[in-house]
Amino acid sequence: MLAALLHATASHAQSNNKPQRKSAQAAAAKAQPPAPPAPLRDGDAEERLLAVYRLIGAGQNREALQKAEALTRDYPNFQLAQLVVGDLLTARLRPIRRMGDAPEPDTLRSIQAATTLEELRNESRQRVDAQRIRPPAGTIPAQFLELSPRSRHAIAVDATRSRLYLFENTASGLRLVADYYASVGKLGIEKNIEGDQRTPLGVYFITSRLDPASLKDFYGAGALPINYPNPLDQSRGKTGSGIWLHGTPPDQFARAPLATDGCLVLANPDLERLLRTVEPRSTPVVIARQLNWVAPHSVQADRKAFDAVLDAWRAAKTDGDMKRLLSFYAPDFQSHRKKPLDEWTTVLQAEARALRGRELQLKDKSYLRWTDSADTMVVTFGEVAAGARTGTVKRQYWTRRGQQWQIFFEGVIG
């Protein structure tokens, strides 16, 4: 403020000395078009909203109103911010009992408005709780046992908290770099059938990046489809398709916590960050009812134990010992093209012969564990014969049956 005042004073002094120059500058300024608004930054709107809440909590309503009005100028479609402005203005006239303090609904229109108000209150609670109860520093979701360097990023979603977490996969492990409010299905989570308006739970991968120019405005800044139903879903008879991470239409900054047909929906600035950051095919997306945050070293024992299992599978394939190799496959195994185990055996025999006595090496391994009614390991690796420069990338789904891990799906992904 002081700097602005000094600048204004200096300009006034110069204008007294050089009136003609002032007139020319004013004409030039009038001729120039207004500067375009600054690009919207991911997480900015929520950060500013929470700052307004803190001011209200401290009894600084005048400053809170100034910042809330500035927020709505930058994000005019942010309904929650508009509601806060309305409450702060109302508070000048009478006490506010709760957010969106409106008369009890008595008409269809007021009932619909009351429903919208309750959704905004829920959104507010989810945003506040996510900042109040942060993941402990240095922890990761328990599903991430190991990530290959090829997976430069990873995503985890805590559906209970309406929160999406973005990680960078660094040389020293996963690092949380951002988190965002996200909406899920109208009827919640655990998708089972087409059209049930639920968001699936499980381990998925981003399959592509959709250009917003090819989409309706409804999807906002773009979309990142995921591979629902995955092989575990298919083995359980789950149906449906078209589950995306996508943005919001132009007139809506965010949606209610439970508002989609099954997709995950983020504010457009937040989705744009994901679109610029994550890589299709190699970025895992874990969607959990509630994330379990653990210290990275706590998953090392499970990772090493499974590493021994996978190495035993690798050794059996290297040796061409089909009896030993097939003992790792579940009786209900299926491949990408729905080949049962007896047909897949022919594929395994051909792959073992192609090694011609060379050792099979597994590179860039990723282990993602999913535990619900069953214990599942989603494994991705590069399969390369010793001395070869290239190989195939495979993904396997293993399930624990008793004390034994068995493969119920295997396929080439690249």
Side-chain angles (χ1 to χ4, degrees):
M1 179 67 72
L2 179 60
L5 181 60
L6 289 172
H7 177 73
T9 304
S11 298
H12 179 67
Q14 290 173 2
S15 69
N16 288 337
N17 293 329
K18 299 183 181 180
Q20 292 181 347
R21 182 177 176 185
K22 175 186 175 183
S23 176
Q25 288 175 337
K30 188 175 182 180
Q32 291 177 352
L40 303 181
R41 180 172 61 86
D42 62 295
D44 174 67
E46 181 178 75
E47 182 181 320
R48 291 166 63 182
L49 177 70
L50 296 175
V52 170
Y53 286 170
R54 287 191 290 271
L55 288 170
I56 294 172
Q60 300 177 39
N61 283 14
R62 183 182 297 274
E63 187 177 352
L65 179 58
Q66 291 173 349
K67 291 190 177 296
E69 288 177 332
L71 175 57
T72 57
R73 284 195 297 271
D74 290 342
Y75 300 87
N77 60 355
F78 194 0
Q79 290 178 298
L80 190 51
Q82 296 281 6
L83 180 61
V84 173
V85 169
D87 281 346
L88 286 167
L89 290 172
T90 303
R92 291 178 167 183
L93 304 175
R94 61 175 176 83
I96 296 293
R97 295 171 299 171
R98 59 174 179 166
M99 174 178 282
D101 192 3
E104 290 300 315
D106 57 358
T107 65
L108 178 59
R109 186 173 180 179
S110 62
I111 289 172
Q112 291 171 338
T115 299
T116 300
L117 281 174
E118 190 56 36
E119 290 175 343
L120 289 171
R121 293 182 191 116
N122 290 337
E123 177 188 338
S124 181
R125 279 192 289 268
Q126 292 294 76
R127 290 182 185 274
V128 171
D129 286 348
Q131 298 304 322
R132 184 174 56 85
I133 308 172
R134 302 289 298 164
T139 59
I140 60 173
Q143 290 85 358
F144 294 118
L145 266 62
E146 182 174 359
L147 270 190
S148 158
R150 289 181 176 272
S151 294
R152 296 170 56 194
H153 296 88
I155 290 171
V157 177
D158 189 318
T160 301
R161 296 202 183 282
S162 306
R163 207 74 188 171
L164 180 147
Y165 298 87
L166 173 65
F167 298 86
E168 181 183 6
N169 188 21
T170 72
S172 56
L174 286 177
R175 182 175 69 89
L176 180 61
V177 294
D179 58 286
Y180 307 113
Y181 169 81
S183 303
V184 300
K186 292 183 181 76
L187 297 183
I189 49 178
E190 281 196 284
K191 185 172 186 62
N192 284 297
I193 59 173
E194 176 83 34
D196 63 6
Q197 296 183 322
R198 294 178 180 270
T199 297
L201 299 179
V203 173
Y204 301 96
F205 292 86
I206 291 173
T207 59
S208 60
R209 183 186 291 111
L210 302 182
D211 187 334
S214 67
L215 302 172
K216 297 177 181 178
D217 285 348
F218 178 79
Y219 299 103
L224 295 165
I226 62 173
N227 67 322
Y228 174 87
N230 65 24
L232 177 60
D233 297 326
Q234 293 177 39
S235 73
R236 293 172 169 179
K238 296 185 178 183
T239 59
S241 61
I243 301 299
W244 298 354
L245 281 65
H246 66 79
T248 56
D251 61 345
Q252 194 172 26
F253 180 76
R255 296 174 70 178
L258 304 177
T260 80
D261 287 333
C263 293
L264 290 159
V265 174
L266 291 83
N268 287 322
D270 302 342
L271 184 76
E272 286 170 357
R273 168 75 180 275
L274 296 186
L275 291 168
R276 293 193 308 267
T277 303
V278 303
E279 308 81 13
R281 303 177 68 190
S282 62
T283 302
V285 179
V286 168
I287 309 173
R289 179 183 300 277
Q290 190 166 13
L291 291 173
N292 177 26
W293 297 87
V294 300
H297 66 79
S298 69
V299 301
Q300 289 181 4
D302 287 342
R303 177 180 58 77
K304 289 180 179 178
F306 188 80
D307 209 30
V309 174
L310 187 63
D311 190 61
W313 172 87
R314 180 202 61 79
K317 193 166 184 178
T318 292
D319 296 342
D321 186 335
M322 294 306 299
K323 181 178 180 181
R324 185 155 51 101
L325 182 60
L326 289 172
S327 70
F328 289 96
Y329 289 81
D332 56 350
F333 170 89
Q334 284 195 332
S335 73
H336 259 312
R337 297 179 180 176
K338 308 295 184 184
K339 288 183 179 180
L341 185 56
D342 57 348
E343 291 185 34
W344 191 248
T345 301
T346 304
V347 175
L348 293 174
Q349 289 171 332
E351 291 179 341
R353 285 195 301 271
L355 290 172
R356 297 192 297 274
R358 294 173 295 174
E359 182 180 8
L360 180 65
Q361 299 174 340
L362 305 184
K363 299 185 176 182
D364 298 322
K365 294 179 290 186
S366 286
Y367 301 153
L368 295 163
R369 191 172 193 169
W370 181 257
T371 305
D372 48 20
S373 59
D375 200 1
T376 305
M377 198 74 75
V378 183
V379 185
T380 308
F381 53 82
E383 192 176 81
V384 184
R389 299 180 64 180
T390 61
T392 57
V393 178
K394 284 194 173 179
R395 182 161 294 145
Q396 297 174 331
Y397 283 69
W398 296 66
T399 186
R400 185 196 287 274
R401 292 177 176 168
Q403 297 301 310
Q404 185 179 5
W405 283 100
Q406 288 190 314
I407 305 166
F408 67 89
F409 173 88
E410 182 176 320
V412 174
I413 62 170

